[in-house]
Amino acid sequence: MTVRLGSRGAEVRTLQAELKAAGVLSGKVDGIFGRQTLAAVKKFQAKNRLVQDGVAGPRTFAKLRADGKAPASNVSKAPVGTLTTGYVNGRAKSFRVASIGNGKKLRADAAAQFNKMKAAARRAGVSLSPNSGFRTMAEQKRLYALYKAGRGNLAAKPGYSNHQGGVSVDIQTGGYSSKTYKWLAKNARQYGFVNDVRGEPWHWTYKR
Ligand SMILES: [Zn+2]
């Protein structure tokens, strides 16, 4: 990784935490590479006979890690997931989404619970494979058009699907009599998921 003046994000946080641990930065760990961070990088580079360019590249990071001074554990963690725009009851809403496998995502808190549930299911010999999770407006419009044309499953009006709120997941179940559905019916609630559309054994919504 390489970060420099103007960089932002998790890598800058890591850098700042290391610089603080090395005793060359007294400012905040805020994930923003500003003048203070620049000065700290140069100071660290000078101390360690690195090129004093103020750019934290592989060599500077390697030295920071090798100095034996671990960053403090109370560094505020970067939030999980990717900020996105979804829809709840027809209104645009921004929230973070995180991965649940198969390239699908859910709102970050729902994703964390889904992944816990998936791990528990796996221990019981049941595989929870998501076919659909968070949907963008474009995806919901496409599915709604298919449904209207009689060529797709029931799909809510664009803006009104719980999939757009990042809380609904369609799981490959194989129907109400399947092992997967039965496991979910027994266990999903403790992770906050309920099967809330009649006739759709695959559709589970996070209700917390
Ligand atoms: Zn669904």
Side-chain angles (χ1 to χ4, degrees):
M1 55 177 136
T2 297
V3 291
R4 49 171 60 81
L5 187 64
S7 296
R8 281 165 181 259
E11 290 181 349
V12 177
R13 281 174 192 276
T14 303
L15 171 69
Q16 290 172 327
E18 289 279 7
L19 290 169
K20 280 182 88 77
V24 291
L25 178 68
S26 53
K28 280 189 298 184
V29 171
D30 58 4
I32 302 166
F33 196 132
R35 297 273 160 205
Q36 263 189 311
T37 305
L38 177 68
V41 169
K42 284 186 175 169
K43 199 167 163 186
F44 181 82
Q45 288 172 331
K47 269 185 165 181
N48 291 276
R49 295 189 196 88
L50 292 162
V51 179
Q52 287 177 64
D53 57 3
V55 175
R59 287 207 183 120
T60 300
F61 271 106
K63 266 282 185 221
L64 279 164
R65 289 204 194 88
D67 70 0
K69 290 173 189 129
S73 57
N74 61 355
V75 173
S76 59
K77 283 197 193 122
V80 173
T82 316
L83 196 59
T84 192
T85 300
Y87 283 81
V88 176
N89 295 325
R91 287 173 172 240
K93 204 176 173 214
S94 74
F95 48 81
R96 289 185 174 273
V97 289
S99 178
I100 55 167
N102 291 359
K104 309 302 177 192
K105 289 170 178 170
L106 283 181
R107 198 178 69 196
D109 56 332
Q113 286 300 109
F114 181 85
N115 288 330
K116 271 188 202 166
M117 178 166 81
K118 190 170 152 183
R122 193 183 301 122
R123 288 193 292 274
V126 171
S127 149
L128 299 185
S129 179
N131 287 332
S132 184
F134 167 70
R135 291 176 194 156
T136 61
M137 186 55 115
E139 286 172 294
Q140 188 66 26
K141 280 183 174 165
R142 186 178 64 80
L143 293 170
Y144 187 66
L146 283 172
Y147 163 63
K148 280 290 183 186
R151 290 188 285 127
N153 285 327
L154 171 69
K157 221 169 105 181
Y160 294 84
S161 168
N162 278 331
H163 283 284
Q164 291 184 272
V167 291
S168 285
V169 54
D170 293 341
I171 303 167
Q172 181 86 47
T173 58
Y176 290 110
S177 57
S178 69
K179 188 178 169 186
T180 305
Y181 179 81
K182 284 177 181 165
W183 188 90
L184 284 166
K186 197 176 165 197
N187 299 287
R189 193 170 283 274
Q190 75 181 92
Y191 298 93
F193 287 87
V194 295
N195 180 218
D196 63 339
V197 176
R198 190 171 289 194
E200 293 195 357
W202 57 83
H203 181 94
W204 294 79
T205 300
Y206 184 67
K207 297 278 190 180
R208 281 181 196 156

